[in-house]
Amino acid sequence: MPQLKLSYFDFDGGRAEPVRLALTYGNIPFEDHRFTGNEWPALKNRMPLHQVPVMEVDGAIITQSDALARYAGRLSGLYPENALEALHCDEAIATVDDIEGKIVPTLFIQEDEEKRKAREALVAGPIPLFLARLETMLNERGGRYFAGNRLSMADFKVFLWVRHLQSGLLDHVPVDIVQRLAPALAEHCSRIAAVPEVAAYYERRAKG
């Protein structure tokens, strides 16, 4: 088994979380190196692209969050070997990446009114569009999982985005938006949260 060290900010979410979940699910040993925002400036120039997450694999630094997620998925049996099922998995992952790319810039808006307008614009268009597409994918592929009718990295990726939408951490995004517009995704989120390894992971995190 390779020696793994995953480096990312110290919070439960973001681009490293699918990797953390996959490695935890697969019982793959890894060093979960977390750091604060205050520590980041001193670390930034040590990262090949001045961004995170990065993973050291037997000492070699690897970048790109989706590449790391697929690698973790392969180690953990969560990435399909069948070409079409892998395509389905990748489609769901990329769909979440696209909508997160629209949401993330609003996290850095300082002025309250500007942030409100930006978030309300997302709620009026992009978020419902992407929720609908993801729900269609889920339903077309059996209604429980996004690829191969079994748990995959796609499920973790969608779960984490839906979980964030429902968390109340995004001002001006109604916490019931998923339940109202894509109830199958809300049910999927609950299903993935109940996976024993996932539930145990967040129980440990809650206890500190």
Side-chain angles (χ1 to χ4, degrees), residues 6-22:
L6 179 67
S7 296
Y8 196 65
F9 293 101
D10 187 14
F11 68 94
D12 294 331
R15 294 184 179 276
E17 196 74 351
V19 182
R20 291 170 177 156
L21 284 183

Side-chain angles (χ1 to χ4, degrees), residues 114-182:
E114 182 184 356
K115 178 176 285 189
R116 180 186 66 78
K117 290 180 179 178
R119 293 273 173 80
E120 288 180 351
L122 289 171
V123 169
I127 290 177
L129 175 67
F130 280 77
L131 285 173
R133 177 57 189 157
L134 286 166
E135 186 169 58
T136 295
M137 289 181 204
L138 182 65
N139 289 332
E140 287 180 347
R141 293 159 197 175
R144 293 182 60 81
Y145 304 106
F146 278 89
N149 202 29
R150 61 186 294 271
L151 187 67
S152 74
M153 290 305 301
D155 297 296
F156 283 168
K157 187 83 171 185
V158 177
F159 158 72
L160 289 166
W161 180 55
V162 170
R163 183 173 180 263
H164 192 209
L165 286 180
Q166 296 182 133
S167 69
L169 295 174
L170 291 171
D171 296 341
H172 314 296
V173 175
V175 294
D176 66 344
I177 189 169
V178 181
Q179 187 65 56
R180 286 189 293 105
L181 300 182

